[in-house]
Amino acid sequence: MATKFSDLPNNTNAKWWKDPGMRVGFVHIITLYTAVYSLGYDGSLLNGLQALTEWNHDFGTPTGTKLGLIAASYYLPKIPLTFVIAWMVDRYGRKIGLYMGALFMFAGALLGGFCHSVSQLVGSRVLLGVGTAAAQVTAAALVPELAHPRIRHYAGGFLNTTYYIGSIFAAWLTFAMVYYPGTSSWSWRVPTLVQGFGPLLLGLGAYFIPQSPRWLVKKGRADEAHKILATYHANGKMDDELVLLEMREIRASVELEKAAESASWLAWFHTKGNLRRFFVIIILGTATQWVGNGVVQYYLVPVLKTVGVTRPAQTTGVNGGLAIWNWFISMSGASLVERFGRRPLFLTSIIGMFCSFVMILGLAGGYNTNHHESTGVAMIPFIFIFMGFYSLALTPLPMLYVPEICPLALRAKAAALLLLAQNCAQSFNQFANPVALSAISWRYYAVYVAVDAIYIGLFWFMIRETKGLTTEEAAVVYDPDHVKEANMAAEKKMHEEAQKVAHAEHEDKKAAFEEEFKA
């Protein structure tokens, strides 16, 4: 039976917040969280800006295709760049992705805050998109690689919940700007410029974040990796049993990956296990955008208009309340991930979204038939219920689940593939959603009811459990054949080593007997 990290003595305090090494490691992880915080800030910011009178005045009240272009410009550059970023952080290390992400995001916030035309606004969002792509890919790969095994599932699970911290901040800042005195464009410029706060923290904090131990081992710098693991996982004790286990597992996984030549993007199609992983990542990436949340998160203002909620204070207030609700539920989901497991949370989430969207469709249709205000207002609680089920699993789990089910050589590529699937799905949404809402209004919700039903089947048959496993153990749950072959090879090697030892002992005894006989 394989040794588990929980079975080994470890030079750390039982409570991580009382342990010096784990506390510093936690600060590094919080710094990495700002990558996702920045994404959430933008998601809520665009919703809030659409409700501001001065923003609509300065940019000609964009709707339909024009609004879709402004929104999609954030995601379109991410599609080709995910491949470049994954290659870059695999070749040159994770930290270069953090510096690149912080620089581009900060530049995008400055340009957006001082822009005067739609073209400049689109340009700023392109810069922001490039920056968040680099930061997200890097953070998703680096968080599980740096986290202590004892808190790895929490560290990975809480990563995406910081989306809603950014969302809350942006939502309530734009709500406050509704009451900004006068008719100044600073009502939308201030929250746009504040968007640069997250990348500034990320850029400064990246200097102190250590390099990935797994990447260092892969590059032949095992001593550096050993020192980092000892520093943050055992308070500097180099011969700590947990640290030694981590080093053995990392070395073993690196050797297996080198033997399998798994560093290529084509490696997704080399084994049945990798092919399963590929489809699971695509399913999760598209699900995070195509279950109906794209309509609510980016087009809340036109959605609320379909049921008669139109005043700026109302729409920004709902936006702000929704952000707080989503954050609370996503934190709960991240806390429950190791208790209930990944698969039960995923299934609860998608089934709950399907049921609540059926109610949203029915209430929207009812309002547009009888125009009763109470029917329209009743849709708002179901928007909260729907987003609650979404935030339970699809916010905290993908960034945890995807890196942990992949071997080291594919880990950064897996994060990039997840981001690629999300951005392709989101880019389609940004063009299709505003056009469809303008053309067929509430009837468009029926599409998402059907899509959610399809995802229920996909989740049921494709998602496997990784509860209670270390990084290296979780990386092989989709590789039962590969694991069996690796175990057989390991047993064969151990048998050969035992035979060599036995033969050497026999020769030694024989030589000793001959010496004694001669004497």
Side-chain angles (χ1 to χ4, degrees):
M1 182 181 289
T3 304
K4 293 185 177 181
F5 75 86
S6 55
D7 298 331
L8 298 174
N10 179 221
N11 187 38
T12 55
N13 195 293
K15 297 178 179 178
W16 69 264
W17 58 89
K18 292 184 177 181
D19 185 84
M22 292 182 71
R23 277 202 309 267
V24 176
F26 186 73
V27 171
H28 294 326
I29 289 169
I30 291 294
T31 303
L32 292 170
Y33 283 0
T34 58
V36 178
Y37 158 90
S38 299
L39 183 67
Y41 189 98
D42 180 83
S44 193
L45 178 66
L46 188 61
N47 249 339
L49 293 180
Q50 291 176 63
L52 297 178
T53 304
E54 284 305 308
W55 187 84
N56 283 293
H57 176 267
D58 291 346
F59 296 105
T61 313
T63 58
T65 305
K66 185 178 179 181
L67 179 59
L69 175 62
I70 292 172
S73 60
Y74 185 78
Y75 293 93
L76 288 172
K78 296 184 181 188
I79 296 173
L81 282 174
T82 48
F83 298 101
V84 178
I85 293 164
W87 169 83
M88 181 180 66
V89 297
D90 270 341
R91 184 175 178 84
Y92 299 107
R94 312 305 196 209
K95 292 183 70 167
I96 191 173
L98 301 179
Y99 290 127
M100 176 182 170
L103 178 63
F104 275 84
M105 284 191 288
F106 189 72
L110 287 180
L111 178 58
F114 294 108
C115 68
H116 294 278
S117 66
V118 171
S119 60
Q120 291 175 341
L121 177 61
V122 168
S124 73
R125 292 182 59 74
V126 169
L127 291 174
L128 287 164
V130 172
T132 51
Q136 270 186 284
V137 169
T138 308
L142 193 52
V143 165
E145 292 173 347
L146 291 180
H148 190 287
R150 208 162 73 219
I151 62 168
R152 179 184 60 81
H153 54 280
Y154 289 121
F158 281 107
L159 172 61
N160 241 25
T161 66
T162 52
Y163 178 100
Y164 291 119
I165 297 178
S167 182
I168 291 168
F169 192 17
W172 287 105
L173 184 56
T174 52
F175 176 82
M177 291 297 106
V178 170
Y179 301 99
Y180 190 86
T183 56
S184 171
S185 63
W186 285 107
S187 62
W188 63 264
R189 293 188 190 277
V190 168
T192 304
L193 288 169
V194 170
Q195 194 168 12
F197 178 71
L200 183 62
L201 286 180
L202 178 63
L204 294 174
Y207 177 80
F208 301 98
I209 294 174
Q211 188 57 266
S212 161
R214 289 171 175 81
W215 181 84
L216 289 171
V217 171
K218 186 179 177 182
K219 296 299 179 181
R221 296 157 61 182
D223 290 342
E224 294 177 55
H226 193 170
K227 186 176 180 181
I228 289 171
L229 289 174
T231 299
Y232 298 105
H233 295 184
N235 292 295
K237 187 178 179 182
M238 298 291 285
D239 60 347
D240 183 87
E241 290 190 40
L242 172 62
V243 171
L244 294 177
L245 172 65
E246 289 185 283
M247 286 299 297
R248 287 196 300 270
E249 288 188 335
I250 292 170
R251 284 193 175 103
S253 66
V254 168
E255 290 304 316
L256 282 173
E257 288 153 15
K258 285 181 179 178
E261 296 180 349
S262 58
S264 166
W265 279 95
L266 293 177
W268 294 113
F269 309 102
H270 286 173
T271 68
K272 290 181 179 179
N274 282 350
L275 191 60
R276 292 188 194 104
R277 292 185 182 95
F278 178 84
F279 284 117
V280 167
I281 295 170
I282 295 299
I283 289 167
L284 289 177
T286 54
T288 59
Q289 307 301 328
W290 279 353
V291 291
N293 62 301
V295 175
V296 176
Q297 287 180 311
Y298 276 81
Y299 300 104
L300 183 62
V301 173
V303 165
L304 292 176
K305 284 181 179 178
T306 64
V307 290
V309 179
T310 58
R311 291 200 301 273
Q314 289 177 320
T315 53
T316 53
V318 171
N319 189 35
L322 197 58
I324 294 174
W325 167 253
N326 289 338
W327 178 64
F328 174 78
I329 298 297
S330 65
M331 293 284 282
S332 300
S335 302
L336 297 171
V337 65
E338 200 66 11
R339 180 179 298 178
F340 294 108
R342 283 67 159 160
R343 178 179 162 84
L345 286 177
F346 274 129
L347 290 172
T348 300
S349 176
I350 191 64
I351 293 171
M353 284 187 287
F354 170 78
C355 295
S356 51
F357 223 99
V358 168
M359 294 302 299
I360 289 172
L361 173 63
L363 289 167
Y367 173 81
N368 282 271
T369 300
N370 56 38
H371 295 285
H372 291 164
E373 183 179 351
S374 58
T375 305
V377 172
M379 191 182 85
I380 295 176
F382 281 98
I383 290 177
F384 277 74
I385 293 170
F386 167 80
M387 287 304 302
F389 278 113
Y390 176 90
S391 300
L392 179 69
L394 290 186
T395 294
L397 294 193
M399 282 291 192
L400 165 67
Y401 189 76
V402 167
E404 74 180 3
I405 64 171
C406 294
L408 170 64
L410 290 176
R411 199 163 287 147
K413 292 180 177 64
L417 183 63
L418 176 67
L419 186 58
L420 177 66
Q422 288 176 327
N423 291 327
C424 288
Q426 185 67 287
S427 297
F428 173 81
N429 276 355
Q430 303 298 8
F431 282 117
N433 287 344
V435 174
L437 285 169
S438 297
I440 58 175
S441 189
W442 62 273
R443 297 175 186 85
Y444 184 47
Y445 304 153
V447 173
Y448 288 107
V449 170
V451 170
D452 287 354
I454 293 171
Y455 276 115
I456 289 174
L458 292 173
F459 277 41
W460 182 269
F461 291 107
M462 295 297 291
I463 300 296
R464 294 183 179 179
E465 188 56 71
T466 58
K467 176 184 174 182
L469 303 178
T470 66
T471 304
E472 307 307 325
E473 292 165 347
V476 294
V477 294
Y478 285 90
D479 271 327
D481 298 334
H482 177 70
V483 175
K484 185 177 179 181
E485 292 173 6
N487 288 338
M488 291 175 62
E491 289 176 5
K492 182 180 178 182
K493 187 175 181 180
M494 289 174 64
H495 180 67
E496 290 174 351
E497 291 291 334
Q499 285 184 323
K500 287 180 182 178
V501 171
H503 179 72
E505 289 176 350
H506 175 74
E507 291 297 320
D508 289 343
K509 288 180 180 178
K510 182 180 178 182
F513 177 77
E514 289 176 350
E515 289 292 330
E516 185 179 349
F517 181 78
K518 289 178 182 179

